[in-house]
Amino acid sequence: MERLRTIFDGMFDGVWLIGSDGRTTYVNEAMAGLLGTTTDSMHGHPITEYLSEEFLATAEGMIGRQPVSSAERVDMRFLRADGADLWTLVAASPIVNADGSYVGSMLNVSDVTGKRAAQNQAMQNQKLEAIGAFAAGISHDFNNLLTSIRGYTELAYAELPEGTIRADLGQVIASADRAQAITSRLLAFTRGQALQPVVVDPGRVLLDMLPMLRSLLSEDIDIVLDVEPGKTWVRIDPVALDQVLVNLAVNAEDAMHDGGTLTIAMDEVDGRPQQALGGGEARPASVRIQVTDSGAGMDETTLTRLFDPFFTTKDLGKGTGLGLSTVYGLIGQSGGTINVESAVGKGSSFTILLPKVAMGSRLPPPAIVDPPEVGIGIVLMVEDEPSVREFARRVLDRAGHTLLTAGNGDEAISVANKWPGEIDVLLTDIVMPGMHGQVLAANLLKVRPDMRVIFMSGYAEDSIPALDRLTAPASFLAKPFSTASLTNAVAREIAAARALAEP
């Protein structure tokens, strides 16, 4: 037996010997280490004493089958002495005497906690991507409806004199704008929100945010800021980073019912190359921002749904459930990652990793463009939603433009081929049955290279591929749009086209 002990103690996996009653007769050092205890303290205790409650029946069934079965493997979750989970793969083999009578079992216990966490993360990412695709589709359809609701209301509002009815229509427009804000947050989750990233010093952003956070959070919450500006840079939309920090701070406040401490720390993380034998994914050198609270913490069920849109632990009417999903989308769209660690009663810690960039990669500020002069032109408008098409037609007709309309790409090509004169602007939806807007624009530009293009969509511009592959410049008009934004977009393209045509 001493020889066996020497062999077992040299093994990396846990070895656990139990008697026919399920009580421990021997464990090696590795097994005791996995559970965060000692070999002596485990002697004589049943295996079920170290299991999480939901696996008690699994262990009892396995032990009960051992006298009449061969080896078997089962997944089990043990609880370490510090309360942490220990996910394992347990291979159980019966131990019998020379006469074949069962005297106990040998359990070979492999720690699969890290592997399981990686699998769970992969499943969570797949789930969030699926939810994101669904949310993007809902946002697109909803933005089409909002375009009609807001647009026709705006047309009626403009025709009425001051009075109660006009004021009521103003409330409808305001409500449509609030609805648009919700779809914008959904688009942020789907990583489809239009961002304007620049190279910024995240330490400076965090320091500048401190006064706002102090005024935003209750007085019984202490804010500890551990950052050093001027050391590193990331490429991100500063407004998006502000939005992320505010959402995380408000979420932390909700978790600290009786006050507490919110700690925001920043440091750098070295890059990690792709490992040849599956030792981990490649990761660039990053800036790490950690937002940690001393609040109530979260259980595993809450953690698995934390970034889902509309998931909230708040009472009905006290939260939309879009705050953390917005954070997830903004960080992902900025090329970063966000993870959370939490346990009930132990607070929560959100870790954001953003790729580092060189200070020299700062882009010049965008040029200031003067507002366009209004011009009258020929507009080919392509929109598969009849209510949106009719609204846009009425708006542009009132502005004095000549309108050619079509409900899909094939119809638009037919209309363009029959039109004998020039077409100044193609105003087209992107996502349409049959031919998408990008393909339509590319086909028409082959025969009308001077035509300007405006894409419109309920999706965000950054989420739409191939806009930069056209042979002519294209602009983007997000739905829902107002009468002013539509007329200005068309006037801007007509003015630009005529400026290029002038000698």
Side-chain angles (χ1 to χ4, degrees), residues 7-8 23 135 146 150 246 259 265 293 306 340 355 362 448 462 479:
I7 294 173
F8 290 157
R23 292 183 176 273
L146 283 176
R150 194 192 191 287
V246 167
D293 66 69
L306 192 62
V340 58
R362 181 187 296 272
R448 297 178 180 272
D462 288 355
K479 295 178 181 177

Side-chain angles (χ1 to χ4, degrees), residues 375-382 392 396 401-405 415 419 422-428 454 486 490-491 494:
I376 306 302
I378 311 298
V379 180
L380 171 57
M381 183 183 61
V382 191
L396 295 177
H401 301 292
T402 298
L403 264 294
L404 311 174
T405 61
V415 170
W419 181 253
E422 296 293 326
I423 295 178
D424 295 301
V425 177
L426 169 66
L427 173 66
T428 179
I454 302 174
L486 175 58
V490 172
I494 292 175

Side-chain angles (χ1 to χ4, degrees), residues 464-485:
I464 301 169
L467 292 190
D468 57 348
R469 300 178 191 171
L470 298 175
T471 57
S475 59
F476 182 80
L477 179 63
K479 295 178 181 177
F481 47 76
S482 64
T483 57
S485 59

Side-chain angles (χ1 to χ4, degrees), residues 356-375:
K356 286 175 54 179
V357 298
M359 180 58 184
S361 62
R362 181 187 296 272
L363 296 179
I368 299 175
V369 180
D370 293 331
E373 294 182 3
V374 176

Side-chain angles (χ1 to χ4, degrees), residues 303-316:
L303 285 173
T304 59
R305 299 193 59 193
L306 192 62
F307 295 117
D308 291 4
F310 301 112
F311 173 74
T312 178
T313 57
K314 298 178 183 178
D315 294 336
L316 185 65

Side-chain angles (χ1 to χ4, degrees), residues 38 107 170 179 190 212 230 245 259 273 275 280 293 370 379 381 426 433 440 452 467 469 491 494 502:
T38 63
L107 310 180
T190 65
M212 178 191 295
L245 294 171
Q275 299 298 312
D293 66 69
D370 293 331
V379 180
M381 183 183 61
L426 169 66
L440 170 63
R452 308 289 293 188
L467 292 190
R469 300 178 191 171
I494 292 175
E502 292 177 358

Side-chain angles (χ1 to χ4, degrees), residues 122-138 189-191 308-309 328:
M123 291 178 61
Q124 177 74 353
N125 289 342
Q126 290 175 356
K127 181 190 75 171
L128 291 174
E129 290 296 332
I131 294 174
F134 175 74
I138 291 294
F189 169 74
T190 65
R191 307 183 186 188
D308 291 4
Y328 174 85

